[in-house]
Amino acid sequence: MIKKEELGIGNTVEQGIVYELRNTVAKIKYNDRYSLIAYEDLNPIPLTEEILIDRGFEYSKFYDSYVINISDTYVVCIYLHELENLYYCLTKKNL
């Protein structure tokens, strides 16, 4: 389950890409098809090494973690949509 307040247009969830946010459902695009899915039925995507590398992160021995040079701020993200939102807030660009 994902709270509506956590989502933004363009976020990636297990069911596809968030296209539109409505009161009780999100319009999700997957393979050029659209579905209306209740927020409580949306599933977040846990961050993996593959996801981080695909989005430009590099492993840092110093931090023993994956990092990307955005600013001097360090935040822990568990799900992909959280990382997408953080990146957009800091850079005004989609990840």
Side-chain angles (χ1 to χ4, degrees):
M1 178 181 154
I2 303 175
K3 295 179 183 177
K4 177 183 177 182
E5 298 80 28
E6 294 179 7
L7 289 175
I9 304 300
N11 279 165
T12 306
V13 294
E14 206 172 79
Q15 293 85 346
I17 306 295
V18 176
Y19 185 79
E20 182 181 334
L21 300 171
R22 298 184 181 182
N23 284 337
T24 58
V25 297
K27 188 174 186 179
I28 305 295
K29 182 179 180 182
Y30 182 76
N31 288 337
D32 293 325
R33 301 183 113 187
Y34 297 90
S35 300
L36 296 175
I37 303 175
Y39 295 108
E40 61 265 14
D41 295 330
L42 292 175
N43 300 314
I45 299 173
L47 288 175
T48 63
E49 181 178 14
E50 180 181 2
I51 288 172
L52 293 170
I53 291 171
D54 285 349
R55 284 161 175 79
F57 285 72
E58 296 177 355
Y59 184 77
S60 166
K61 288 182 183 179
F62 181 79
Y63 292 108
D64 191 27
S65 185
Y66 284 87
V67 299
I68 193 167
N69 186 7
I70 299 173
S71 69
D72 291 334
T73 303
Y74 297 94
V75 178
V76 175
C77 294
I78 298 171
Y79 298 112
L80 179 55
H81 72 279
E82 295 172 334
L83 178 63
E84 291 171 331
N85 291 339
L86 174 64
Y87 188 86
Y88 184 81
C89 286
L90 294 172
T91 67
K92 300 299 181 217
K93 297 177 185 175
N94 289 320
L95 185 58

